[in-house]
DNA sequence: CTTGACCCTCCAGTGACTAGAACCCCCATA
DNA sequence: TATGGGGGTTCTAGTCACTGGAGGGTCAAG
């Protein structure tokens, strides 16, 4: 199977698939003309990768998950540990973003948004306490 | 004022401040020894930048906000537009992360986390519909 | 005079791609 | 047979917002 078809099946851009080969996540064979020749197992892995990435796992998480996925003797707990760690990172991010949202929506609410030069948003950006997350 | 003191005042690493100079956000003077010499207005700008960045504005947003901040004749509406756009991006991100969280926490909940090799997380990563945000 | 804290520049790396250039390969049509 | 289009290939460099490190200069105190 060529890269274009695989890209459709996995829902990933061809560029991304080449990149995944570069960094060693997949190792497709090659045809005599140099084209990548994807086996069903490669496609399967790419689908797995697409889904894991969509859930926000990092590439290194994905690498670990793939290794566990391929290991018949892995412990369920190993996978769970990765997922739990990731989940807690997601929860931290959500909390950060919610605090940003609340500050920002206060600012926007207080701003008349007219043509006068005095803007409460800029005033608050000068004055509210800094040092939040990113 | 030297960069170390400014860093403390603004709550930014010195490296970041140098970077902000590199990309033209600030233009501190120089002492004869080559050290950056920050005026109060530079410090003020850096505080503003730290706060805007803490609220998740991109550097380019910050550049625009700084320009408006310095422009006596700006319209309040311009600032509000940037803030509103940013707010809606934050809200999209939160929604994305919440959908990740709900899927992931389902997965984690269903996983015994023991030493058996069958793991529902990996099974679901093979099977649930892909194509979410990132 | 030395030590240690501070400052400087420049280069490279991060994560996860993405854009683009310059090229090769294959098939169908005129 | 040319040619056009749609694949494929490699390579380099760019993205964003820093961050780390090497290798050095400056300054104040002891």
């Amino acid at each position: 199977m060529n890269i274009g078809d695989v890209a459709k099946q996995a829902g990933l851009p061809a560029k991304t698939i080449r990149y995944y080969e570069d960094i060693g996540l997949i190792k497709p064979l090659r045809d005599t003309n140099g084209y990548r020749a994807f086996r069903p197992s490669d496609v399967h892995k790419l689908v797995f990768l697409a889904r894991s990435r969509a859930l926000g796992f990092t590439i290194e998480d994905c690498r670990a998950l793939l290794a566990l996925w391929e290991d018949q003797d892995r412990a369920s707990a190993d996978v769970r540990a990765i997922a739990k760690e990731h989940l807690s990172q997601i929860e931290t991010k959500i909390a950060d973003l919610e605090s940003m949202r609340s500050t920002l929506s206060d600012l926007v609410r207080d701003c008349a948004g007219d043509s006068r030069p005095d803007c409460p948003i800029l005033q608050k950006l000068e004055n509210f306490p800094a040092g939040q997350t990113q």
Side-chain angles (χ1 to χ4, degrees), chain A:
Chain A
M1 216 187 216
N2 281 353
I3 201 166
D5 302 314
V6 175
K8 264 172 225 148
Q9 285 225 12
L12 290 170
K15 286 247 176 200
T16 300
I17 296 175
R18 289 193 195 102
Y19 171 71
Y20 286 172
E21 186 190 11
D22 266 10
I23 62 173
L25 286 178
I26 48 163
K27 297 190 180 19
L29 305 175
R30 293 291 177 142
D31 282 342
T32 47
N33 60 7
Y35 287 17
R36 286 167 187 81
F38 293 85
R39 292 155 291 185
S41 67
D42 295 318
V43 180
H44 206 171
K45 274 192 210 176
L46 285 167
V47 170
F48 181 96
L49 284 169
R51 287 167 180 175
S52 309
R53 290 287 302 127
L55 276 180
F57 285 99
T58 65
I59 289 285
E60 289 316 305
D61 281 343
C62 290
R63 200 188 294 279
L65 289 172
L66 256 188
L68 291 170
W69 187 46
E70 295 199 285
D71 176 4
Q72 294 304 330
D73 300 327
R74 86 239 156 178
S76 180
D78 295 340
V79 181
R80 185 185 161 96
I82 294 173
K84 278 190 79 174
E85 168 62 21
H86 180 45
L87 185 55
S88 89
Q89 284 170 19
I90 285 177
E91 278 164 354
T92 304
K93 272 196 197 170
I94 289 175
D96 290 350
L97 284 170
E98 278 176 344
S99 116
M100 285 184 207
R101 173 174 62 183
S102 107
T103 307
L104 252 188
S105 65
D106 287 356
L107 295 186
V108 168
R109 193 200 52 220
D110 293 347
C111 175
D114 55 20
S115 56
R116 285 171 304 158
D118 57 314
C119 172
I121 296 179
L122 293 181
Q123 279 164 32
K124 292 273 176 50
L125 284 176
E126 292 181 63
N127 298 122
F128 86 82
Q132 308 205 13
T133 55
Q134 84 86 357

